[in-house]
Amino acid sequence: MTIWINEQLDPLGIIYACIACDSETEAEACHVSFQENLTADQKADGWVARLRTVDSWDDVPVNALKLS
C-alpha cells in the first residue's frame, strides 16, 4: 500500500503541517494547496512543501492528519 504524505517544513526542517492519505489524486491536490499557501516571504526564508510516499501507516509522522 502506498501512503502519500504532504508536509510543509520550516527553514529548520521542522514539520509545520502534515496530511497523509491513500489517494494519489487527493495528495496531489493537497500538495498544490500547500505550495500555494506558502507566502513569497516564507519561500524566500526556506519554507518548502514536500510530497513523499511511505509503504505503511506506521511510517506516517505522528502529528499527521490521516485521511483514508
Side-chain angles (χ1 to χ4, degrees):
M1 169 182 252
T2 300
I3 310 298
W4 298 84
I5 301 173
N6 278 287
E7 300 168 320
Q8 274 186 343
L9 297 112
D10 73 7
L12 298 175
I14 297 171
I15 297 173
Y16 179 75
C18 185
I19 297 175
C21 65
D22 58 6
S23 166
E24 182 178 3
T25 303
E26 288 178 21
E28 289 174 358
C30 182
H31 183 64
V32 168
S33 175
F34 270 26
Q35 288 179 316
E36 290 175 351
N37 286 329
L38 289 174
T39 66
D41 287 340
Q42 285 175 314
K43 291 176 184 177
D45 288 342
W47 285 72
V48 294
R50 177 172 68 186
L51 177 62
R52 63 186 180 95
T53 61
V54 295
D55 295 325
S56 166
W57 287 105
D58 293 335
D59 298 325
V60 174
V62 173
N63 63 340
L65 172 62
K66 298 175 184 177
L67 307 173
S68 60

Coordinates of all heavy atoms in Angstrom, one line a residue:
M1 N 0.8 -1.2 0.0 CA 0.0 0.0 0.0 C 0.9 1.2 0.0 O 1.9 1.3 0.7 CB -0.9 0.0 1.2 CG -1.6 1.3 1.5 SD -2.6 1.3 2.9 CE -4.2 1.3 2.2
T2 N 0.5 2.2 -0.8 CA 1.3 3.5 -0.8 C 0.5 4.5 -0.1 O -0.7 4.7 -0.3 CB 1.5 4.0 -2.3 OG1 2.2 3.0 -3.0 CG2 2.2 5.3 -2.3
I3 N 1.1 5.2 0.9 CA 0.6 6.3 1.6 C 1.3 7.6 1.2 O 2.5 7.6 1.1 CB 0.8 6.1 3.1 CG1 0.4 4.7 3.6 CG2 0.1 7.2 3.9 CD1 -1.1 4.4 3.4
W4 N 0.5 8.6 0.8 CA 1.0 9.9 0.3 C 1.1 10.8 1.5 O 0.1 11.0 2.2 CB 0.2 10.4 -0.8 CG 0.1 9.5 -2.0 CD1 -0.7 8.4 -2.1 CD2 1.0 9.5 -3.1 NE1 -0.4 7.8 -3.3 CE2 0.6 8.4 -3.9 CE3 2.0 10.4 -3.5 CZ2 1.2 8.2 -5.2 CZ3 2.6 10.2 -4.7 CH2 2.2 9.1 -5.5
I5 N 2.2 11.5 1.7 CA 2.4 12.4 2.8 C 2.7 13.8 2.3 O 3.7 14.0 1.5 CB 3.5 12.0 3.8 CG1 3.2 10.6 4.3 CG2 3.7 13.0 4.9 CD1 4.3 10.0 5.1
N6 N 1.9 14.8 2.6 CA 2.2 16.2 2.3 C 2.7 16.9 3.6 O 2.1 16.8 4.6 CB 0.9 16.9 1.9 CG 0.6 16.6 0.4 OD1 1.2 17.1 -0.4 ND2 -0.4 15.7 0.2
E7 N 3.8 17.6 3.4 CA 4.3 18.3 4.6 C 4.7 19.7 4.2 O 5.2 19.9 3.1 CB 5.6 17.6 5.0 CG 5.4 16.2 5.5 CD 6.6 15.4 5.7 OE1 7.6 15.5 4.9 OE2 6.7 14.6 6.7
Q8 N 4.5 20.6 5.1 CA 5.1 22.0 5.0 C 6.2 22.0 6.0 O 5.9 21.7 7.2 CB 4.1 23.0 5.3 CG 3.2 23.4 4.1 CD 2.3 24.6 4.4 OE1 2.1 25.0 5.5 NE2 1.8 25.3 3.3
L9 N 7.4 22.3 5.6 CA 8.5 22.4 6.5 C 9.1 23.8 6.6 O 9.2 24.5 5.6 CB 9.6 21.4 6.0 CG 9.2 20.0 6.0 CD1 9.1 19.5 4.6 CD2 10.1 19.1 6.8
D10 N 9.5 24.2 7.8 CA 10.1 25.5 8.0 C 11.6 25.4 7.6 O 12.1 24.3 7.3 CB 9.8 26.0 9.4 CG 10.7 25.3 10.5 OD1 11.5 24.5 10.2 OD2 10.4 25.6 11.7
P11 N 12.3 26.5 7.7 CA 13.7 26.5 7.2 C 14.6 25.6 8.0 O 15.6 25.1 7.5 CB 14.1 28.0 7.5 CG 12.9 28.8 7.4 CD 11.8 27.9 7.9
L12 N 14.2 25.2 9.2 CA 15.0 24.2 10.0 C 14.6 22.8 9.7 O 15.2 21.9 10.3 CB 14.8 24.5 11.5 CG 15.3 25.9 12.0 CD1 15.0 26.1 13.4 CD2 16.8 26.1 11.7
G13 N 13.6 22.5 8.9 CA 13.2 21.2 8.6 C 12.1 20.7 9.5 O 11.8 19.5 9.5
I14 N 11.6 21.5 10.4 CA 10.5 21.1 11.3 C 9.2 21.1 10.6 O 8.8 22.1 9.9 CB 10.5 22.1 12.5 CG1 11.8 22.0 13.3 CG2 9.3 21.7 13.4 CD1 12.0 23.0 14.4
I15 N 8.4 20.0 10.8 CA 7.1 19.9 10.1 C 6.1 20.9 10.7 O 5.9 20.8 11.9 CB 6.6 18.5 10.2 CG1 7.5 17.5 9.5 CG2 5.2 18.4 9.6 CD1 7.2 16.1 9.6
Y16 N 5.6 21.8 9.9 CA 4.6 22.7 10.3 C 3.2 22.2 10.1 O 2.3 22.4 11.0 CB 4.8 24.1 9.6 CG 3.8 25.1 9.9 CD1 3.9 25.8 11.1 CD2 2.7 25.4 9.1 CE1 3.0 26.8 11.4 CE2 1.8 26.4 9.4 CZ 1.9 27.1 10.6 OH 1.0 28.1 10.9
A17 N 3.0 21.5 9.0 CA 1.7 20.9 8.7 C 1.9 19.6 8.0 O 2.9 19.5 7.2 CB 0.9 21.8 7.8
C18 N 1.1 18.6 8.2 CA 1.3 17.3 7.6 C -0.1 16.6 7.5 O -0.9 16.5 8.4 CB 2.2 16.5 8.5 SG 2.6 14.9 7.8
I19 N -0.4 16.2 6.2 CA -1.6 15.4 5.9 C -1.2 14.2 5.2 O -0.4 14.2 4.2 CB -2.6 16.3 5.1 CG1 -3.0 17.5 5.9 CG2 -3.7 15.4 4.6 CD1 -3.9 18.4 5.1
A20 N -1.7 13.0 5.6 CA -1.4 11.8 4.9 C -2.7 11.1 4.4 O -3.7 11.2 5.1 CB -0.7 10.8 5.9
C21 N -2.6 10.5 3.2 CA -3.8 9.9 2.7 C -3.4 8.8 1.7 O -2.2 8.7 1.4 CB -4.7 10.9 1.9 SG -4.0 11.6 0.5
D22 N -4.3 7.9 1.4 CA -4.0 6.8 0.5 C -4.5 7.0 -1.0 O -4.5 6.1 -1.8 CB -4.6 5.5 1.0 CG -6.1 5.5 1.2 OD1 -6.7 6.5 0.8 OD2 -6.6 4.6 1.8
S23 N -4.8 8.3 -1.3 CA -5.3 8.6 -2.6 C -4.3 9.5 -3.3 O -4.0 10.7 -2.8 CB -6.7 9.3 -2.6 OG -6.9 9.9 -3.8
E24 N -3.7 9.1 -4.4 CA -2.7 10.0 -5.1 C -3.3 11.2 -5.6 O -2.7 12.3 -5.5 CB -2.1 9.2 -6.3 CG -1.0 10.0 -7.0 CD -0.4 9.2 -8.1 OE1 -0.8 8.0 -8.4 OE2 0.5 9.7 -8.7
T25 N -4.6 11.2 -6.1 CA -5.3 12.3 -6.6 C -5.5 13.4 -5.5 O -5.2 14.6 -5.7 CB -6.6 12.0 -7.2 OG1 -6.4 11.0 -8.2 CG2 -7.3 13.1 -7.8
E26 N -6.0 12.9 -4.3 CA -6.1 13.9 -3.2 C -4.8 14.4 -2.7 O -4.7 15.6 -2.4 CB -6.8 13.1 -2.1 CG -8.3 12.9 -2.3 CD -9.0 12.1 -1.2 OE1 -8.5 12.2 -0.1 OE2 -10.0 11.5 -1.4
A27 N -3.8 13.6 -2.7 CA -2.5 14.0 -2.3 C -1.9 15.1 -3.2 O -1.3 16.1 -2.7 CB -1.5 12.8 -2.2
E28 N -2.1 14.9 -4.5 CA -1.5 15.9 -5.4 C -2.3 17.2 -5.3 O -1.7 18.3 -5.3 CB -1.6 15.4 -6.8 CG -0.6 14.3 -7.1 CD -0.7 13.6 -8.5 OE1 -1.6 14.0 -9.2 OE2 0.1 12.7 -8.8
A29 N -3.6 17.2 -5.1 CA -4.4 18.4 -4.9 C -4.0 19.1 -3.6 O -3.8 20.3 -3.5 CB -5.9 18.1 -4.8
C30 N -3.7 18.3 -2.5 CA -3.3 18.9 -1.3 C -1.9 19.5 -1.4 O -1.6 20.6 -0.9 CB -3.2 17.8 -0.2 SG -2.7 18.4 1.4
H31 N -1.0 18.9 -2.2 CA 0.3 19.4 -2.4 C 0.3 20.8 -3.1 O 1.0 21.7 -2.7 CB 1.2 18.4 -3.2 CG 2.6 18.8 -3.4 ND1 3.5 19.0 -2.3 CD2 3.3 19.2 -4.5 CE1 4.6 19.4 -2.8 NE2 4.5 19.5 -4.1
V32 N -0.5 20.9 -4.1 CA -0.7 22.1 -4.8 C -1.2 23.2 -3.8 O -0.7 24.3 -3.8 CB -1.7 22.0 -6.0 CG1 -2.1 23.4 -6.5 CG2 -1.1 21.1 -7.1
S33 N -2.1 22.9 -3.0 CA -2.6 23.8 -2.0 C -1.6 24.2 -1.0 O -1.4 25.4 -0.7 CB -3.8 23.2 -1.2 OG -4.3 24.0 -0.2
F34 N -0.8 23.2 -0.5 CA 0.3 23.5 0.4 C 1.3 24.5 -0.2 O 1.8 25.5 0.4 CB 1.1 22.3 0.8 CG 0.5 21.6 2.1 CD1 -0.8 21.7 2.4 CD2 1.3 20.8 2.8 CE1 -1.3 21.1 3.6 CE2 0.8 20.1 4.0 CZ -0.5 20.3 4.3
Q35 N 1.6 24.3 -1.5 CA 2.6 25.2 -2.2 C 2.0 26.6 -2.4 O 2.7 27.5 -2.1 CB 2.9 24.6 -3.6 CG 3.8 23.4 -3.5 CD 4.2 22.8 -4.8 OE1 3.3 22.7 -5.7 NE2 5.4 22.5 -5.1
E36 N 0.7 26.6 -2.7 CA 0.1 27.9 -3.0 C -0.1 28.7 -1.7 O -0.1 30.0 -1.7 CB -1.2 27.8 -3.7 CG -1.1 27.3 -5.1 CD -2.4 27.0 -5.8 OE1 -3.5 27.0 -5.1 OE2 -2.4 26.8 -7.0
N37 N -0.2 28.0 -0.6 CA -0.4 28.7 0.7 C 0.9 29.3 1.3 O 0.8 30.0 2.3 CB -1.1 27.8 1.7 CG -2.6 27.6 1.4 OD1 -3.2 28.5 0.8 ND2 -3.1 26.5 1.7
L38 N 2.0 28.9 0.8 CA 3.3 29.5 1.2 C 3.4 30.9 0.6 O 3.3 31.1 -0.6 CB 4.5 28.6 0.8 CG 4.6 27.3 1.6 CD1 5.8 26.5 0.9 CD2 4.9 27.5 3.1
T39 N 3.7 31.9 1.5 CA 3.9 33.2 1.0 C 5.2 33.4 0.4 O 6.1 32.5 0.6 CB 3.8 34.2 2.2 OG1 4.9 34.0 3.0 CG2 2.4 34.1 2.9
A40 N 5.4 34.4 -0.4 CA 6.7 34.7 -1.0 C 7.8 34.9 0.0 O 8.9 34.4 -0.1 CB 6.6 36.0 -1.9
D41 N 7.5 35.5 1.2 CA 8.4 35.7 2.2 C 8.8 34.3 2.8 O 10.0 34.1 3.1 CB 7.9 36.6 3.4 CG 7.8 38.0 2.9 OD1 8.5 38.4 2.0 OD2 7.1 38.8 3.6
Q42 N 7.8 33.4 3.0 CA 8.2 32.1 3.6 C 9.1 31.3 2.6 O 10.1 30.7 3.0 CB 6.9 31.3 3.8 CG 6.1 31.7 5.0 CD 4.8 30.9 5.1 OE1 4.1 30.8 4.2 NE2 4.5 30.5 6.3
K43 N 8.8 31.4 1.3 CA 9.6 30.7 0.3 C 11.0 31.3 0.3 O 12.0 30.5 0.3 CB 9.0 30.8 -1.1 CG 7.7 30.0 -1.2 CD 7.1 30.2 -2.6 CE 5.8 29.5 -2.7 NZ 5.1 29.7 -4.0
A44 N 11.1 32.6 0.4 CA 12.4 33.2 0.5 C 13.2 32.8 1.7 O 14.4 32.7 1.7 CB 12.3 34.7 0.4
D45 N 12.5 32.6 2.8 CA 13.1 32.2 4.1 C 13.5 30.7 4.1 O 14.2 30.2 5.0 CB 12.2 32.5 5.3 CG 12.1 34.0 5.5 OD1 13.0 34.7 5.1 OD2 11.2 34.3 6.2
G46 N 13.0 29.9 3.1 CA 13.4 28.5 3.1 C 12.3 27.5 3.4 O 12.5 26.3 3.5
W47 N 11.1 28.0 3.5 CA 9.9 27.1 3.7 C 9.7 26.3 2.5 O 9.9 26.8 1.4 CB 8.7 27.8 4.1 CG 8.6 28.4 5.4 CD1 9.3 29.4 5.9 CD2 7.8 28.0 6.5 NE1 9.0 29.7 7.2 CE2 8.0 28.8 7.6 CE3 6.8 26.9 6.6 CZ2 7.4 28.6 8.8 CZ3 6.2 26.8 7.8 CH2 6.5 27.6 8.9
V48 N 9.3 25.0 2.6 CA 9.0 24.1 1.4 C 7.8 23.3 1.7 O 7.4 23.0 2.8 CB 10.2 23.2 1.1 CG1 11.4 24.0 0.6 CG2 10.6 22.3 2.3
A49 N 7.2 22.9 0.6 CA 6.1 21.9 0.6 C 6.7 20.7 0.0 O 7.2 20.7 -1.1 CB 4.9 22.4 -0.2
R50 N 6.5 19.6 0.7 CA 7.1 18.3 0.2 C 6.0 17.2 0.1 O 5.2 17.1 1.0 CB 8.2 17.9 1.1 CG 8.8 16.6 0.8 CD 10.0 16.3 1.6 NE 9.6 16.0 3.0 CZ 10.5 15.8 4.0 NH1 11.8 15.9 3.8 NH2 10.1 15.6 5.2
L51 N 6.0 16.5 -1.0 CA 5.1 15.3 -1.2 C 6.0 14.1 -1.2 O 7.0 14.1 -2.0 CB 4.3 15.5 -2.4 CG 3.4 14.3 -2.8 CD1 2.3 14.1 -1.7 CD2 2.8 14.6 -4.2
R52 N 5.7 13.1 -0.4 CA 6.5 11.9 -0.4 C 5.6 10.7 -0.1 O 4.5 10.9 0.3 CB 7.7 12.0 0.6 CG 7.2 12.1 2.1 CD 8.4 12.3 3.0 NE 8.0 12.4 4.4 CZ 8.0 11.4 5.3 NH1 8.4 10.2 4.9 NH2 7.6 11.6 6.5
T53 N 6.2 9.5 -0.3 CA 5.4 8.3 0.0 C 6.1 7.4 1.0 O 7.3 7.4 1.1 CB 5.1 7.5 -1.3 OG1 6.4 7.1 -1.9 CG2 4.4 8.3 -2.4
V54 N 5.2 6.6 1.6 CA 5.7 5.6 2.5 C 4.9 4.3 2.2 O 3.8 4.4 1.6 CB 5.7 6.0 4.0 CG1 6.6 7.1 4.3 CG2 4.3 6.3 4.5
D55 N 5.3 3.2 2.8 CA 4.5 2.0 2.5 C 3.6 1.5 3.5 O 2.8 0.6 3.3 CB 5.6 0.8 2.2 CG 6.4 1.1 1.0 OD1 5.9 1.6 0.0 OD2 7.6 0.7 1.0
S56 N 3.6 2.2 4.7 CA 2.7 1.8 5.8 C 2.3 3.0 6.6 O 3.0 4.0 6.7 CB 3.5 0.8 6.7 OG 2.9 0.6 7.9
W57 N 1.1 2.9 7.2 CA 0.6 3.9 8.1 C 1.5 4.1 9.3 O 1.6 5.1 9.9 CB -0.8 3.6 8.5 CG -1.9 3.9 7.5 CD1 -2.5 2.9 6.8 CD2 -2.3 5.1 7.0 NE1 -3.4 3.5 5.8 CE2 -3.3 4.9 5.9 CE3 -2.0 6.4 7.3 CZ2 -3.9 5.9 5.2 CZ3 -2.7 7.4 6.6 CH2 -3.6 7.2 5.6
D58 N 2.2 3.0 9.6 CA 3.2 3.1 10.7 C 4.3 4.0 10.5 O 5.0 4.5 11.4 CB 3.7 1.7 11.1 CG 2.7 0.7 11.6 OD1 1.7 1.2 12.2 OD2 2.8 -0.5 11.4
D59 N 4.6 4.3 9.2 CA 5.7 5.2 8.8 C 5.3 6.7 8.7 O 6.1 7.5 8.3 CB 6.3 4.7 7.5 CG 6.9 3.3 7.6 OD1 7.4 3.0 8.7 OD2 6.8 2.6 6.6
V60 N 4.0 7.0 8.9 CA 3.5 8.3 8.8 C 3.8 9.1 10.1 O 3.7 8.5 11.2 CB 2.0 8.3 8.6 CG1 1.4 9.7 8.6 CG2 1.6 7.6 7.3
P61 N 4.3 10.3 10.0 CA 4.6 11.1 11.2 C 3.4 11.1 12.1 O 2.3 11.2 11.7 CB 4.9 12.5 10.7 CG 5.4 12.3 9.3 CD 4.6 11.1 8.8
V62 N 3.7 11.1 13.4 CA 2.7 11.0 14.4 C 1.7 12.2 14.4 O 0.5 12.0 14.6 CB 3.4 11.0 15.8 CG1 2.3 11.1 16.9 CG2 4.2 9.7 16.0
N63 N 2.2 13.4 14.0 CA 1.4 14.6 14.1 C 0.5 14.8 12.8 O -0.1 15.8 12.6 CB 2.2 15.8 14.3 CG 3.2 16.1 13.2 OD1 3.6 15.2 12.4 ND2 3.7 17.3 13.1
A64 N 0.6 13.8 11.9 CA -0.2 13.9 10.6 C -1.7 13.8 10.8 O -2.1 13.0 11.6 CB 0.3 12.9 9.6
L65 N -2.4 14.5 10.0 CA -3.8 14.3 9.9 C -4.0 13.2 8.9 O -3.4 13.3 7.8 CB -4.6 15.6 9.3 CG -6.0 15.4 9.0 CD1 -6.8 15.0 10.2 CD2 -6.6 16.7 8.3
K66 N -4.6 12.1 9.3 CA -4.6 10.8 8.4 C -6.0 10.7 7.8 O -7.0 10.6 8.5 CB -4.2 9.6 9.3 CG -2.8 9.7 9.8 CD -2.5 8.5 10.7 CE -1.1 8.7 11.4 NZ -0.8 7.7 12.3
L67 N -6.0 10.7 6.5 CA -7.3 10.5 5.7 C -7.2 9.2 5.0 O -6.3 8.9 4.3 CB -7.4 11.7 4.7 CG -7.3 13.1 5.3 CD1 -7.3 14.1 4.2 CD2 -8.4 13.4 6.3
S68 N -8.3 8.4 5.1 CA -8.3 7.2 4.4 C -9.7 7.0 3.7 O -10.6 7.7 4.0 CB -8.1 6.0 5.3 OG -9.0 5.9 6.4

